[in-house]
Amino acid sequence: MSNWVLEKRSFDSKEAAADGNRFLCANGYMGLRGVVEEAGPSLFPAVTLAGVYDQYQDRWREPVNAPNSLFMQLSFNGLAMTLGETEAVSHCQTLDYRHGIFQRETDFGPVTVSSQRFVSMAETHLLADRYEMRFRSDGEMTLIAGISTDIWDINGPHLFDWQFRAGEALSAWAVTGEKRITVAAAQCVSLDFEAEETVEQRASGLFRVLKRKVKAGDTLTVSVFSGVYTSLDDADPVKAAERLSLQAKEKGFAACIRAHRDAWETIWERCEIVTEGDEAAALALHASQYHLNCIAPRHAKNLSIPARGLSGQTYKGAIFWDSEIFFFPMFVYTQPEIAKSLLRYRIETLSGALKKAAEYGYRGAFYAWESQEGGEEGCTNFNVVDVFTHRPVRTYFRDKQIHISADIAYALRSYYDITGDRTLLKDGGARVILECARFYLSRANGHVDSEQADFADVIGPDEYHERVTNNAFTNRMIRHCLESALLLKDIFADQPEAFTALLQEMEYEKDWQLLPALLGRIREPRVKNGVVEQFDGYFDLEDCFLDTVRSRLCDPREYWGGDHGVAGTTQIIKQADVIAMMALFPEAFTDPEIDVNWRYYEPRTEHGSSLSACMYALTACRVGRLDEAWDLFMRTANIDVVGGGKQWAGEIYIGGTHPASNGGAWMIAALGFAGLRMKNGKPEIHPNLPKQLKRLRFPIIAGGERLMVEVTPEGGKIVQA
Ligand code: BGC
């Protein structure tokens, strides 16, 4: 099997949800789950749209799924050829990571169905499918091809008042319940055979019904072209969708797929990590880079990426710190225009963050923990459902995970450090950093008997310990945020008037004076035998093994955190926390410091989040723990190849793809194995190549220059690309 292709040679409906994620095709505008054409809602088909949200009644607001405009159902001699219902002799499906092409071949006995489809990387709004039927006996076939409005939603329905139109293109459109956004899909087909054709409007959509007699040995092919638009994209989304599907039909499938492949080639030219030495690792890296690239908002200048990408509606389609800390590094080093879009989303949603801070009685910008459109907070007070009582559990992620604002400031600063480009700071980025710093000024707690400032009642990356004081990670991020705010003056040293004017306009003069004062007072964490205490009092918690905590579970889906969670009273943590801090500030810690902390925290970490392993891998590289780094790298990079990761948080389904791990895989290879970092505006490398790899090569853009990083066991170099 090529190290570019994911293949599965069987079908099990119980695995359909996980496979829908693993075989995802997407282009940043929409994601098409990897299920077969004839799949009904029980197999979770979905075309998930980026940045379009809807709330139904009092359920969770989530992204909207467009109708399934690649729906096809073949019947032969009256028998429906439906995978999972009709017995199949064999089924194979593949995903080509290089070109984002999904293929299936199912031998149903009398007929074999094979198809090839993609979400166009060249045409933002286009889906296309080439569907072939090879008959082994004479008979009569009926193919239903159309737009299915039988949509799988987690917290829906979201689309109402369906309307249909049938011409050369079939179209279906409806409006979202909350904001009345029109979502439209149109579809054209081109057939290489004659058939009796009728159009039927049914409760589940609008379909073309194609009937004809076939003979053993006949091969018939249908190409489907579908345009998907919303009223956020075009004033007349129905016409736009129809126009695009007609144009695509005119061009033909071969030309459409060629343009799509070429667009992917251009992406790979800019970011492909080439490795030699381990085929499984090469496949896993291709998978990771594919998954992150296919959900990047290339069509927009101000969109970010949801925590589960475009693989469905889990995690409410919300934007978390994953964007700035885990997705951002690959983009900023390879496709900075995408990194810019992620940050512009934050700049443009500043008003939401100001509003949230004010709601909690603070000043400045407190960004949403789960950000939706306009920076709206999607995180509810009850984010988990208890498996025993079936009652919602009060969680404090929304209120207390205050590191989010500093994470955004961290990425804004990195953007400047890596690209040398000040425009983003000028166009709102500086204001964001200053408002985030202002939030921390108002959020700090003073102690009457101390010169020091605490950050009490917070949650760090380890969500199992809620409402703690002085989380080391959070305090370190806040310090960096304040430093970045102060540094702005130097960055704009050549425009002192403009900078002063900005401070004046923001009524910031007094706060500006307070920044250095707070910076000097933020409490340093306690350190015991070289180990940084994760938060005040952490060392006093029960120190036990992960297995001990696991053995206390009464239900495998039980939530480990919150008031009654098994981890809360112990030192067992959900994900990298102190180690995440060390990974983000490698220069602030010595190798022995990192090593001692790594050895302490790793056995106490559940890795219950896909954001964890990569942080441990990065720090393991740094201290030469290359065997451990390798295992953690494979775990990270393979996550959407094997389809692992947690599927449930209490009673809530959280499955999907794992863009944070996908970005983590790039980080481990580039920042860990190659040891890439910026020093005074120039990239440098400090290779830590594991023995499994004979070569590592990848392009970057740093300081405005296109460069190539090459690492072999003999050493490494950065050359002009
Ligand atoms: C993690 C968070 C993360 C979120 C989305 C949670 O399980 O604890 O750190 O941001 O998932 O990926």
Side-chain angles (χ1 to χ4, degrees):
M1 194 173 79
S2 138
N3 61 29
W4 283 101
V5 179
L6 175 69
E7 181 182 89
K8 181 158 180 180
R9 294 196 153 270
S10 58
F11 176 79
D12 180 347
S13 56
K14 289 198 283 308
E15 291 166 9
D19 287 344
N21 302 320
R22 297 196 306 141
F23 287 87
L24 177 82
C25 286
N27 67 356
Y29 175 79
M30 57 189 159
L32 173 66
R33 288 174 55 80
V35 296
V36 295
E37 289 82 353
E38 65 269 23
S42 67
L43 296 184
F44 305 163
V47 179
T48 303
L49 299 172
V52 185
Y53 297 89
D54 182 64
Q55 182 171 21
Y56 178 64
Q57 294 176 350
D58 59 351
R59 298 189 189 169
W60 284 356
R61 164 186 281 210
E62 62 187 9
V64 172
N65 285 334
N68 177 5
S69 48
L70 293 186
F71 179 83
M72 265 179 283
Q73 169 74 71
L74 172 69
S75 300
F76 185 60
N77 291 337
L79 185 65
M81 301 289 137
T82 307
L83 187 62
E85 288 173 23
T86 317
E87 209 176 319
V89 180
S90 66
H91 171 74
C92 177
Q93 65 186 51
T94 58
L95 175 63
D96 167 10
Y97 294 129
R98 180 111 199 149
H99 299 117
I101 296 170
F102 173 92
Q103 301 201 61
R104 59 89 60 107
E105 177 157 311
T106 312
D107 179 354
F108 285 107
V111 54
T112 293
V113 167
S114 52
S115 72
Q116 193 181 31
R117 70 171 196 230
F118 59 92
V119 181
S120 178
M121 208 34 114
E123 275 289 355
T124 302
H125 300 272
L126 182 68
L127 301 166
D129 192 339
R130 193 172 172 281
Y131 186 87
E132 188 185 272
M133 301 155 284
R134 296 197 300 276
F135 295 92
R136 260 185 224 96
S137 45
D138 298 356
E140 201 166 282
M141 70 130 216
T142 304
L143 180 68
I144 298 173
I147 307 175
S148 166
T149 56
D150 199 1
I151 292 173
W152 167 56
D153 278 321
I154 297 183
N155 293 294
H158 298 296
L159 294 175
F160 302 91
D161 306 334
W162 282 101
Q163 296 188 61
F164 302 98
R165 181 152 79 202
E168 189 177 353
L170 300 185
S171 341
W173 65 99
V175 290
T176 60
E178 200 188 351
K179 296 189 180 154
R180 312 296 288 172
I181 299 166
T182 304
V183 175
Q187 193 220 59
C188 283
V189 296
S190 97
L191 314 178
D192 74 347
F193 57 93
E194 305 268 302
E196 177 196 317
E197 183 176 329
T198 50
V199 172
E200 285 181 16
Q201 187 181 320
R202 301 178 175 180
S204 60
L206 186 63
F207 305 93
R208 241 176 263 277
V209 181
L210 304 163
K211 282 183 196 271
R212 66 165 275 159
K213 290 203 180 340
V214 294
K215 291 217 158 1
D218 279 356
T219 297
L220 310 179
T221 306
V222 186
S223 298
V224 183
F225 307 90
S226 169
V228 179
Y229 277 84
T230 76
S231 50
L232 301 177
D233 312 315
D234 196 288
D236 191 341
V238 185
K239 272 229 174 70
E242 287 171 350
R243 201 180 314 123
L244 179 64
S245 36
L246 288 164
Q247 276 166 1
K249 178 181 169 180
E250 192 77 10
K251 275 192 206 151
F253 189 83
C256 291
I257 202 169
R258 201 175 319 117
H260 165 72
R261 280 171 187 273
D262 290 349
W264 266 106
E265 284 299 329
T266 309
I267 293 172
W268 289 113
E269 256 166 47
R270 297 188 62 184
C271 69
E272 183 187 352
I273 297 188
V274 178
T275 56
E276 278 173 25
D278 190 299
E279 285 297 287
L283 176 79
L285 260 174
H286 292 151
S288 301
Q289 289 203 276
Y290 163 77
H291 275 293
L292 194 51
N293 272 305
C294 79
I295 54 175
R298 291 190 164 73
H299 61 288
K301 290 199 160 30
N302 52 2
L303 264 191
S304 193
I305 302 176
R308 288 285 179 265
L310 298 176
S311 61
Q313 295 160 316
T314 40
Y315 276 96
K316 307 167 193 137
I319 316 298
F320 291 67
W321 71 311
D322 307 31
S323 287
E324 283 72 24
I325 304 297
F326 297 83
F327 314 160
F328 177 81
M330 179 183 93
F331 291 125
V332 72
Y333 272 114
T334 65
Q335 299 154 84
E337 67 284 1
I338 295 170
K340 213 172 188 172
S341 175
L342 305 187
L343 292 176
R344 273 202 195 287
Y345 168 78
R346 297 301 195 174
I347 293 172
E348 292 184 18
T349 56
L350 176 63
S351 58
L354 296 174
K355 201 169 108 205
K356 176 172 167 185
E359 272 165 21
Y360 284 91
Y362 300 114
R363 298 184 302 123
F366 182 10
Y367 275 89
W369 178 244
E370 301 183 10
S371 183
Q372 296 179 329
E373 77 272 46
E376 194 78 16
E377 177 63 272
C379 188
T380 61
N381 287 339
F382 300 91
N383 236 18
V384 172
V385 175
D386 181 57
V387 288
F388 305 111
T389 61
H390 309 292
R391 287 203 184 104
V393 178
R394 175 69 164 107
T395 46
Y396 290 86
F397 312 143
R398 167 198 175 113
D399 326 51
K400 310 293 178 191
Q401 220 153 153
I402 63 166
H403 64 83
I404 178 67
S405 294
D407 303 335
I408 292 163
Y410 180 94
L412 278 161
R413 164 92 175 269
S414 306
Y415 181 86
Y416 169 70
D417 288 345
I418 294 164
T419 62
D421 170 12
R422 280 193 314 189
T423 53
L424 199 61
L425 290 177
K426 242 188 185 155
D427 297 346
R431 183 185 292 267
V432 167
I433 295 178
L434 289 165
E435 290 293 8
C436 290
R438 172 138 67 188
F439 166 61
Y440 295 118
L441 282 175
S442 74
R443 180 61 169 74
N445 306 83
H447 258 225
V448 275
D449 60 347
S450 157
E451 284 295 288
Q452 306 217 290
D454 295 301
F455 284 91
D457 204 4
V458 305
I459 303 179
D462 160 32
E463 292 181 340
Y464 288 165
H465 295 92
E466 299 193 6
R467 312 195 70 168
V468 301
T469 296
N470 290 325
N471 168 251
F473 174 93
T474 303
N475 285 16
R476 188 72 190 72
M477 291 302 287
I478 293 173
R479 179 180 309 229
H480 185 262
C481 173
L482 303 181
E483 284 164 0
S484 301
L486 289 167
L487 192 75
L488 289 170
K489 193 170 179 194
D490 298 340
I491 296 175
F492 291 106
D494 59 338
Q495 301 169 9
E497 294 85 19
F499 189 65
T500 310
L502 176 67
L503 294 184
Q504 271 167 1
E505 190 225 311
M506 293 175 69
E507 297 180 12
Y508 211 93
E509 292 92 334
K510 197 162 156 237
D511 290 329
W512 184 260
Q513 305 306 324
L514 293 173
L515 291 179
L518 177 60
L519 194 51
R521 290 172 62 226
I522 297 179
R523 193 181 294 273
E524 289 287 343
R526 187 151 65 122
V527 179
K528 196 166 122 194
N529 301 327
V531 181
V532 174
E533 189 174 41
Q534 187 175 297
F535 51 81
D536 292 354
Y538 170 84
F539 288 144
D540 305 329
L541 297 176
E542 181 190 351
D543 191 12
C544 57
F545 293 110
L546 198 52
D547 281 347
T548 312
V549 167
R550 199 170 274 128
S551 71
R552 293 175 185 161
L553 292 173
C554 300
D555 184 304
R557 293 197 297 175
E558 198 178 317
Y559 182 56
W560 290 34
D563 279 352
H564 305 292
V566 284
T569 53
T570 74
Q571 291 190 29
I572 296 301
I573 62 174
K574 178 178 178 185
Q575 66 200 82
D577 196 306
V578 167
I579 289 299
M581 166 180 81
M582 294 185 164
L584 295 187
F585 298 98
E587 273 151 43
F589 300 94
T590 64
D591 285 6
E593 277 169 344
I594 295 179
D595 195 55
V596 78
N597 281 278
W598 200 98
R599 281 188 286 117
Y600 190 84
Y601 281 108
E602 205 286 327
R604 290 169 177 78
T605 305
E606 187 215 357
H607 295 298
S609 156
S610 61
L611 279 58
S612 190
C614 71
M615 291 294 178
Y616 278 94
L618 281 170
T619 40
C621 289
R622 164 71 188 279
V623 297
R625 295 182 161 273
L626 294 186
D627 287 343
E628 283 111 325
W630 183 258
D631 289 347
L632 290 159
F633 163 68
M634 287 304 283
R635 189 155 149 186
T636 303
N638 254 327
I639 194 159
D640 291 323
V641 176
V642 295
K646 268 196 184 169
Q647 302 289 310
W648 299 93
E651 283 191 342
I652 292 167
Y653 178 65
I654 56 169
T657 57
H658 301 84
S661 283
N662 306 152
W666 184 92
M667 286 200 272
I668 303 167
L671 312 182
F673 297 159
L676 171 67
R677 61 174 93 134
M678 295 299 287
K679 193 150 191 192
N680 305 324
K682 292 254 168 276
E684 53 179 40
I685 51 170
H686 303 266
N688 308 290
L689 199 64
K691 60 178 184 291
Q692 289 83 352
L693 296 183
K694 306 288 166 253
R695 187 155 164 256
L696 177 66
R697 186 166 60 91
F698 55 92
I700 56 167
I701 305 180
E705 276 190 291
R706 282 181 189 269
L707 304 164
M708 187 62 85
V709 178
E710 290 247 15
V711 181
T712 62
E714 286 71 49
K717 58 181 189 249
I718 303 183
V719 295
Q720 295 291 328

